[in-house]
Amino acid sequence: MGAAFFYHLTQRPLEATLPMLLDKARGAGWRVAVRGVDEARLDWLDERLWQGADDSFLPHGRAGGPHDALQPVLLTSGAAANDPQCLMAVDGAEVSAEEVAALERVCVLFDGGDPQAVDRARGQWKALTGAGCAAQYWSEESGRWEKKAESG
């Protein structure tokens, strides 16, 4: 059974934090799905990932291509065709307790400067921990990532 890790973004934006987390997940040997709610926003993230540092190439693709099942990182707004071990939910994308149980890790990244995103993440935390999922809450408010809460 996996766990849900909540990342409260307060110092760095999504486009800076996501590549770091993807790199760690890939380092663990995991295939990753990045689930968003808006296709235009996923296209924007796709572009940012391609523009990453020269020394940190991050192979990835957008869902809907001919090789989705082979992608080490797949950006999607729905179910992932790449059989991921890790799901990263951005911009309030839905995550189910069944997904947390089935995957190695689920990461929920949310913007600390957006009150609606914070409320949404709180609701996801309550729903997932209420369903018996293990969860951790991480904040970068101090300037470095610190675990602030744990459940399960």
Side-chain angles (χ1 to χ4, degrees):
M1 179 178 216
F5 283 42
F6 286 74
Y7 291 95
H8 189 168
L9 309 180
T10 58
Q11 301 293 319
R12 286 171 278 181
L14 176 63
E15 64 270 21
T17 304
L18 183 61
M20 175 198 68
L21 292 174
L22 289 171
D23 191 49
K24 287 182 182 266
R26 293 293 303 139
W30 297 339
R31 280 182 308 285
V32 182
V34 177
R35 181 182 295 157
V37 296
D38 179 80
E39 295 297 331
R41 173 83 159 158
L42 288 170
D43 288 341
W44 180 84
L45 276 174
D46 177 42
E47 178 125 351
R48 294 305 167 279
L49 291 176
W50 283 119
Q51 295 173 353
D54 291 338
D55 62 345
S56 63
F57 173 69
L58 186 63
H60 69 281
R62 283 283 281 121
H67 304 290
D68 284 1
L70 302 175
Q71 294 292 345
V73 176
L74 186 66
L75 282 70
T76 183
S77 60
N82 66 337
D83 191 26
Q85 289 84 32
C86 178
L87 169 65
M88 297 196 184
V90 300
D91 300 332
E94 290 287 330
V95 174
S96 71
E98 292 78 19
E99 288 173 311
V100 174
L103 299 168
E104 296 288 331
R105 176 135 337 133
V106 170
C107 300
V108 176
L109 290 78
F110 61 100
D111 181 353
D114 179 346
Q116 288 180 323
V118 173
D119 285 346
R120 174 87 178 113
R122 283 185 182 134
Q124 287 177 304
W125 173 274
K126 287 178 185 175
L128 293 175
T129 58
C133 296
Q136 294 183 7
Y137 165 70
W138 291 80
S139 173
E140 63 173 348
E141 195 169 30
S142 71
R144 63 182 183 86
W145 287 105
E146 295 177 332
K147 182 169 42 170
K148 298 288 191 171
E150 189 166 9
S151 177

